[in-house]
Amino acid sequence: MAETASFVSQPCQASFTHPKLTSIKALSEFPGLSSIPSIYTFPTDPNDEALSDTNESIPTIDFSLLTSSIPKERCKIIQELGKACQDWGFFMVINHGVPESMAKAMIETCRGFFELEEEEKQEFQGKNVLDPIRSGTSFNVSVEKVLLWRDFLKLFMHPEFHSPNKPPALSETALQYSRRVRQVAREILRGISESFGLEENYIDEALNLENSLQLLIANFYPPCPQPELAMGIPPHSDHGLLTLLIQNGIGGLQVQHKGKWINVNPIPNSFLANIGDHIEILSNGKYKSVVHRAVVNNKETRISIAMAHGPAPDAVVSSASKLLVEDGDNPPLYKAMKYKEYVELQQSSKLDGKSCLERIRNRTI
């Protein structure tokens, strides 16, 4: 117990070597914790301004219309999808067909993982950012000067499926859920492809989505005694094409829109969708990946499950040549790069806005 107490009174990154304090869950449950160690104090941005509960402005996409056999309905929703991508980079997806019971089961089985004994979770820590099973705390403790109030579990769902064997229900639940969500994501990406004026299957074929990388990221944000000082996930954009997120009914997601932060309170049984950096690359900047973050609270544990959908790992992503021609033969804004190399670049760094995307920008333009 003396060693545990020293972790709280003398916060330092090395403290994570203590076998019983390898997670933010363990720290949050420390008896009498009333303040956070200084290494969790996130620097504030004086320019930040959060707007609350402006959900009426966040676009909503009715997925059932994307699969409609009525051409006029499908054409209209594709236009709305394109506008949502161009104006926001973020939208809610309703009537997607994934049972609410399946989403709840996914959240609860992930909760079960985070509630395992610390020693059991350490079996799945992983050593490399591209390891197919990796659990941990913060984002990348090897490079971060400030740690995040967050534990995570990252699993490769596709093209090969990987899952811990604990808790017992996790593997089968994740397999079934990932298959259903992947179908939804591919249909939305077909709609995005058409919204560009490209063929329906352009993204599917150009980026080999038959072998696409699908990544499940489970996030665990326990109550924080000083939520105004800590951060769940700092402002960042996602790698890949499209992320579909669910949560356990506890708010915390904020998206940046026109320079201001918008609190997101989702429609029940909807997916929160955001386009990733590789849609921005593919569209040559026409559609921009959205910057978002997760804040924490002092009352309830928030769990979110993000399903990130990218190209095939070996696919080289560049701006679509047809879009470059239509844009007046403008040169590509970003360098072509293998998707898995981009993922490794982002995951090996600290999260910092769109810094990873900026690193591959063509500076001669």
Side-chain angles (χ1 to χ4, degrees):
M1 182 61 73
E3 285 184 60
T4 304
S6 70
F7 173 83
V8 179
S9 61
Q10 299 175 18
C12 66
Q13 200 159 305
S15 303
F16 273 91
T17 60
H18 190 283
K20 295 187 183 302
L21 279 174
T22 55
S23 71
I24 201 65
K25 180 177 183 291
L27 174 59
S28 70
E29 293 173 350
F30 183 76
L33 184 72
S34 59
S35 62
I36 63 174
S38 59
I39 198 168
Y40 290 96
T41 301
F42 207 81
T44 57
D45 183 345
N47 296 319
D48 271 355
E49 182 182 347
L51 304 181
S52 60
D53 305 324
T54 57
N55 276 2
E56 68 277 6
S57 300
I58 296 175
T60 299
I61 299 299
D62 187 337
F63 181 81
S64 66
L65 299 181
L66 269 180
T67 56
S68 173
S69 59
I70 302 173
K72 187 177 290 187
E73 284 187 349
R74 191 166 187 278
C75 182
K76 184 174 184 294
I77 201 66
I78 285 173
Q79 289 177 346
E80 292 177 10
L81 177 61
K83 183 171 174 54
C85 290
Q86 190 161 16
D87 293 351
W88 281 77
F90 181 87
F91 48 94
M92 299 188 201
V93 182
I94 61 172
N95 298 327
H96 46 69
V98 179
E100 187 173 10
S101 59
M102 183 177 281
K104 288 182 176 179
M106 189 70 255
I107 289 170
E108 290 309 308
T109 51
C110 285
R111 184 194 298 273
F113 177 85
F114 292 116
E115 291 178 347
L116 293 173
E117 295 295 328
E118 295 300 302
E119 291 81 1
E120 292 182 279
K121 286 183 285 189
Q122 285 182 61
E123 297 175 27
F124 308 106
Q125 277 187 330
K127 296 179 180 179
N128 186 281
V129 294
L130 292 181
D131 282 348
I133 298 176
R134 189 161 64 95
S135 71
T137 193
S138 196
F139 179 75
N140 187 346
V141 295
S142 65
V143 298
E144 291 166 325
K145 294 181 179 178
V146 178
L147 299 182
L148 307 177
W149 201 264
R150 169 213 189 211
D151 293 333
F152 67 83
L153 174 65
K154 297 182 180 182
L155 306 174
F156 284 21
M157 298 282 97
H158 192 263
E160 293 182 359
F161 177 81
H162 298 268
S163 175
N165 56 8
K166 305 172 187 178
L170 177 56
S171 181
E172 184 62 24
T173 303
L175 178 64
Q176 298 304 323
Y177 180 73
S178 64
R179 285 175 174 170
R180 293 293 295 268
V181 177
R182 191 161 62 249
Q183 292 171 357
V184 173
R186 286 184 76 172
E187 194 63 47
I188 293 173
L189 288 169
R190 291 186 185 105
I192 290 175
S193 187
E194 284 193 72
S195 76
F196 288 145
L198 301 172
E199 297 82 4
E200 178 185 21
N201 290 324
Y202 178 86
I203 294 175
D204 211 295
E205 294 171 359
L207 301 181
N208 188 16
L209 296 195
E210 275 298 317
N211 296 300
S212 65
L213 180 62
Q214 184 188 37
L215 181 64
L216 181 152
I217 307 105
N219 302 296
F220 185 90
Y221 310 100
C224 176
Q226 295 176 296
E228 71 282 1
L229 299 181
M231 182 65 71
I233 298 183
H236 70 286
S237 60
D238 290 350
H239 63 75
L241 301 167
L242 182 71
T243 301
L244 298 176
L245 181 139
I246 57 172
Q247 59 184 26
N248 66 333
I250 308 301
L253 177 65
Q254 296 180 339
V255 297
Q256 198 172 63
H257 184 62
K258 296 181 179 178
K260 296 183 179 179
W261 289 108
I262 309 295
N263 291 318
V264 179
N265 295 308
I267 298 169
N269 197 31
S270 66
F271 285 127
L272 301 177
N274 64 273
I275 59 174
D277 292 344
H278 289 80
I279 288 292
E280 181 163 343
I281 294 168
L282 188 76
S283 69
N284 207 40
K286 181 179 180 181
Y287 293 174
K288 291 180 169 54
S289 56
V290 66
V291 174
H292 52 289
R293 68 184 184 184
V295 297
V296 294
N297 71 82
N298 60 3
K299 292 185 175 66
E300 299 177 280
T301 294
R302 177 174 181 255
I303 298 174
S304 67
I305 312 290
M307 298 293 286
H309 301 84
D314 287 319
V316 177
V317 186
S318 60
S319 301
S321 55
K322 183 179 178 182
L323 297 181
L324 294 177
V325 172
E326 289 180 354
D327 205 20
D329 276 334
N330 281 339
L333 295 176
Y334 302 102
K335 299 170 186 173
M337 189 178 194
K338 274 189 179 181
Y339 178 51
K340 67 179 179 182
E341 293 173 356
Y342 188 94
V343 174
E344 192 162 22
L345 178 67
Q346 191 212 46
Q347 298 289 301
S348 300
S349 309
K350 67 175 184 176
L351 286 178
D352 182 17
K354 299 177 78 164
S355 59
C356 191
L357 191 59
E358 287 303 309
R359 287 169 71 176
I360 66 164
R361 182 182 288 274
N362 281 319
R363 299 295 173 188
T364 56
I365 298 174

